[in-house]
Amino acid sequence: EVQLVESGGGLVQAGGSLKLSCAGSGFRSDAYAIGWFRQAPGKEREGVSYWSRFHGTTYYADSVKGRFAISSDDAETTVYLQMNNLKPEDTAVYFCAAGYSVLVWADQDEYDYWGQGTQVTVSS
């Protein structure tokens, strides 16, 4: 069974940085993808970034392009989301998710496994 554990959230001032981690285990093959999503209070969950373990492809939401960067460790078991120049509107619970057949990266229904989420709060 795939397990995902996020960490690295916290409180930061606007303009600051945080680095989220998503530690994954239990994958049955390398043909999976990791997506980062976020959900702010009263809003729908939205896709933030994507990384394909098999292809190395990455995607970003327009709202975070140029500020966020997704990467993995050498063993490709942990996926990171480096968040720079954070804004108050980035405040949300951030989730990582994994799927084996992700065709539309920002569609949460494409992912089969989810972490518990980590809170990111950006103060103005």
Side-chain angles (χ1 to χ4, degrees), residues 51-64:
W51 172 79
S52 167
R53 168 68 171 83
F54 189 74
H55 297 286
T57 309
T58 60
Y59 296 116
Y60 298 93
D62 288 343
S63 59
V64 306

Side-chain angles (χ1 to χ4, degrees), residues 42-53:
K43 294 188 176 181
E44 292 187 356
R45 191 170 297 185
E46 63 173 349
V48 175
S49 187
Y50 164 95
W51 172 79
S52 167
R53 168 68 171 83

Side-chain angles (χ1 to χ4, degrees), residues 4 6 20-22 34-40 45-49 81 92-98 108 113-120:
L4 303 170
E6 302 103 330
L20 306 183
S21 299
C22 173
I34 297 292
W36 280 100
F37 289 77
R38 66 185 181 187
Q39 188 165 21
R45 191 170 297 185
E46 63 173 349
V48 175
S49 187
L81 186 68
V93 177
Y94 283 69
F95 301 88
C96 67
Q108 60 179 319
Y113 307 97
W114 290 82
Q116 81 286 357
T118 185
Q119 176 71 48
V120 171

Side-chain angles (χ1 to χ4, degrees), residues 45-119:
R45 191 170 297 185
E46 63 173 349
V48 175
S49 187
Y50 164 95
W51 172 79
S52 167
R53 168 68 171 83
F54 189 74
H55 297 286
T57 309
T58 60
Y59 296 116
Y60 298 93
D62 288 343
S63 59
V64 306
K65 278 181 183 176
R67 300 188 297 123
F68 291 12
I70 193 168
S71 64
S72 67
D73 63 358
D74 289 343
E76 296 185 317
T77 57
T78 299
V79 176
Y80 303 101
L81 186 68
Q82 177 67 47
M83 306 186 296
N84 299 323
N85 190 22
L86 283 160
K87 305 175 181 181
E89 52 264 43
D90 294 318
T91 295
V93 177
Y94 283 69
F95 301 88
C96 67
Y100 289 105
S101 302
V102 178
L103 298 179
V104 182
W105 77 267
D107 184 348
Q108 60 179 319
D109 293 334
E110 298 275 314
Y111 298 83
D112 302 305
Y113 307 97
W114 290 82
Q116 81 286 357
T118 185
Q119 176 71 48

